[in-house]
């Protein structure tokens, strides 16, 4: 074959290859699973049904209750939850902020502003505001010789601080104790969520990885996995959702004294999970100085702190909590020991001069009121429950914030059922403690030392 023929063949081959490359389709993007917009999926239907059920509950409460603040809340919340159900039905994203914001506005903001503007308050709010005035005038928040139900103040001296704005500022909206209840509750719970989120942020998990071979968290979705349409959890979104639920929205609007206690308990557990002894001790002491119901938090929080930061840290936190609690309680108790015992010890147990209104038909109350010697039986059962929870703390100490919250919720749930003077409203304690660290982002893990792997 001549050289000219060889060159012709090579030229034709090159031309053929180039022609094939020119007609070859350009590489497209890597195929990923499409985003499925759940316009009429099961999740939006569940969300709509939840808000609808909340609206029915609020409406029934409005029609059934004889308390004016609760009736106002029921009317406002029924409209708010109904609008939230409509927003959820028309939304493309399930469990988003839009419906929760509408529900929170209708069940918290509107009734709270309305009640504060008209000066309508329930008995607990009036008691706290009076205790703040008495604390300034006499050094003790307790009426010396209580004779009627309204005279009794079953709270520890720290609760009187919420009544100081009314005593100092006078009859202005900012002086209303409900405003400060809501502010402290939402602020403490939001801070707890932020602390939990920072404790296990993707960056901190990457820095704590003990070996290069451990898989690190991915910040982008895998091409083989479908993209989720569920909004990313944030502290603000979690706080919005928990505030909109009826169990929290009702006391936020009408002035429930238990929410600040629960919020400080959540903050104390979050700080203990991070291994911050002094800050955790301050939160423990602050909660313990408000109400007796916060005292079971002390052993649970200290055990969690001992696991996350060591025994010395737990001792420091315990000393800090006891010092703060003693500073708040002891001077008031010494100022009038008889009044302190009457208000804070006898009345909550149903042994005061006036019967406590906490008389829901739970086992402890039924034993104390209908069985001969039932009060002693109820107290004995309460003590046995406390011993069982204490034994569980020793044999199986909680190693995460969510585990500690679950243990505390269990103990408080048992106590609420067995206390002789109890009410259904106390169920907000175990409900919030059980749900908050699951709803708040990254709340299922705690901070660990370098070189260790987080555990659920």
């Amino acid at each position: 074959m001549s050289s000219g023929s060889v060159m012709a063949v090579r030229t034709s081959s090159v031309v053929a290859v180039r022609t094939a490359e020119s007609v070859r389709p350009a590489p497209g993007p890597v195929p990923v699973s499409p985003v499925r917009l759940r316009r009429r999926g099961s999740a939006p239907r569940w969300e709509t049904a939840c808000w609808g059920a909340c609206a029915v509950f609020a409406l029934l409460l409005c029609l059934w209750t004889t308390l004016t603040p609760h009736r106002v809340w029921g009317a406002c919340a029924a409209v708010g939850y109904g609008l939230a159900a409509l927003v959820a039905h028309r939304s493309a994203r399930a469990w988003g902020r839009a419906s929760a914001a509408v529900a929170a506005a209708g069940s918290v903001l509107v009734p709270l502003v309305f009640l504060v503007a008209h000066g309508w308050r329930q008995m607990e709010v009036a008691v706290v505001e009076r205790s703040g005035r008495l604390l300034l005038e006499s050094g003790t928040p307790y009426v010396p010789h209580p004779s009627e139900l309204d005279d009794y103040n079953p709270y520890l001296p720290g609760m009187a601080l919420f009544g100081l704005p009314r005593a100092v500022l006078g009859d202005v909206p900012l002086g209303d104790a409900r405003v400060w209840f809501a502010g402290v509750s939402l602020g403490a719970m939001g801070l707890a969520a932020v602390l939990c989120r920072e404790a296990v942020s993707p960056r901190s998990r990457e820095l704590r990885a003990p070996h290069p071979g451990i898989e690190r968290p991915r910040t982008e979705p895998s091409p083989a996995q479908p993209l989720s349409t569920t909004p990313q959890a944030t502290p603000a979104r979690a706080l919005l959702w928990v505030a909109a639920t009826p169990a929290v929205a009702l006391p936020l609007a009408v002035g429930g004294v238990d929410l600040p206690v629960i919020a400080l308990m959540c903050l104390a557990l979050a700080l203990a999970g991070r291994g911050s002894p002094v800050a955790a001790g301050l939160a423990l002491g602050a909660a313990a100085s408000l109400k007796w119901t916060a005292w079971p938090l002390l052993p649970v929080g200290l055990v969690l702190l001992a696991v996350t930061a060591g025994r010395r840290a737990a001792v420091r936190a315990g000393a800090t909590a006891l010092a703060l609690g003693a500073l708040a309680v002891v001077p008031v108790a010494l100022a009038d020991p008889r009044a302190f015992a009457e208000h804070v010890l006898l009345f909550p147990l149903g042994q005061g001069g006036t019967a406590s209104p906490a008389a829901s038909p739970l086992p402890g109350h039924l034993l104390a009121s209908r069985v001969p010697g039932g009060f002693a039986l109820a107290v004995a059962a309460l003590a046995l429950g406390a011993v069982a929870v204490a034994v569980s703390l020793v044999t199986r100490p909680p190693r995460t914030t969510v585990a500690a919250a679950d243990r505390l919720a269990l103990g408080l749930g048992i106590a609420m059922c067995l206390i002789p003077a109890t009410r259904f409203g106390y169920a907000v304690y175990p409900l919030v403690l059980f749900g908050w660290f699951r709803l708040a982002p990254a709340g299922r893990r705690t901070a660990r030392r370098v070189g260790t792997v987080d555990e659920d």
Side-chain angles (χ1 to χ4, degrees), residues 27-352:
V30 178
V32 297
S33 299
V35 178
R36 298 178 180 177
L37 298 179
R38 306 173 185 172
R39 295 185 180 278
R40 291 289 182 264
S42 59
R45 285 200 296 266
W46 276 108
E47 184 182 1
T48 303
C50 287
W51 292 130
C54 292
V56 172
F57 167 78
L59 182 60
L60 292 177
L61 179 64
C62 176
L63 298 176
W64 173 75
T65 185
T66 58
L67 300 176
T68 300
H70 288 218
R71 183 174 298 172
V72 171
W73 180 86
C76 297
V79 176
Y81 288 138
L83 293 176
L86 180 61
V87 171
H89 178 72
R90 298 176 62 88
S91 177
R93 285 183 177 271
W95 311 106
R97 288 188 181 184
S99 63
V102 173
S107 62
V108 178
L109 183 60
V110 173
L112 177 60
V113 171
F114 188 86
L115 291 171
V116 170
H118 286 76
W120 295 338
R121 54 177 59 87
Q122 60 183 13
M123 184 177 61
E124 290 89 339
V125 179
V127 167
V128 170
E129 292 180 347
R130 184 192 63 208
S131 68
R133 175 177 53 81
L134 289 176
L135 183 63
L136 287 180
E137 295 175 353
S138 62
T140 175
Y142 306 110
V143 175
H145 303 285
S147 58
E148 299 179 357
L149 179 61
D150 294 348
D151 294 337
Y152 280 90
N153 175 14
Y155 314 121
L156 291 173
M159 190 67 74
L161 297 178
F162 290 98
L164 290 180
R166 175 69 73 190
V168 174
L169 301 177
D171 192 13
V172 296
L174 190 58
D176 198 293
R178 286 168 291 193
V179 176
W180 298 94
F181 286 152
V184 171
S185 301
L186 297 178
M189 294 185 70
L191 181 57
V194 170
L195 292 173
C196 287
R197 182 182 179 88
E198 291 178 352
V200 288
S201 63
R203 178 61 177 166
S204 64
R205 269 190 266 179
E206 182 178 351
L207 293 176
R208 288 199 307 269
H211 300 290
I214 292 181
E215 182 180 358
R216 295 177 178 178
R218 288 175 286 192
T219 57
E220 296 182 359
S222 171
Q225 297 175 349
L227 298 176
S228 175
T229 59
T230 302
Q232 184 181 7
T234 62
R237 178 174 173 268
L239 196 62
L240 192 64
W241 271 94
V242 76
T245 57
V248 177
L250 175 59
L252 273 178
V254 302
V257 297
D258 292 304
L259 281 184
V261 182
I262 300 171
L264 289 174
M265 294 167 77
C266 292
L267 179 59
L269 290 178
L271 289 168
R274 285 173 57 92
S276 304
V278 177
L282 291 174
L284 289 169
S289 66
L290 297 180
K291 204 173 180 183
W292 288 118
T293 49
W295 281 59
L297 168 69
L298 293 175
V300 177
L302 294 179
V303 169
L304 175 62
L305 193 59
V307 171
T308 57
R311 294 183 179 179
R312 291 185 178 180
V315 171
R316 290 176 61 192
T320 303
L322 291 177
L324 181 59
L327 182 64
V329 174
V330 172
V332 174
L334 294 178
D336 193 342
R338 193 201 63 80
F340 180 83
E342 176 74 14
H343 286 266
V344 179
L345 299 178
L346 298 178
F347 179 74
L349 292 175
Q351 301 299 305

Side-chain angles (χ1 to χ4, degrees), residues 10-20:
R10 291 179 179 176
T11 303
S12 62
S13 300
V14 172
V15 171
V17 171
R18 291 179 177 177
T19 303

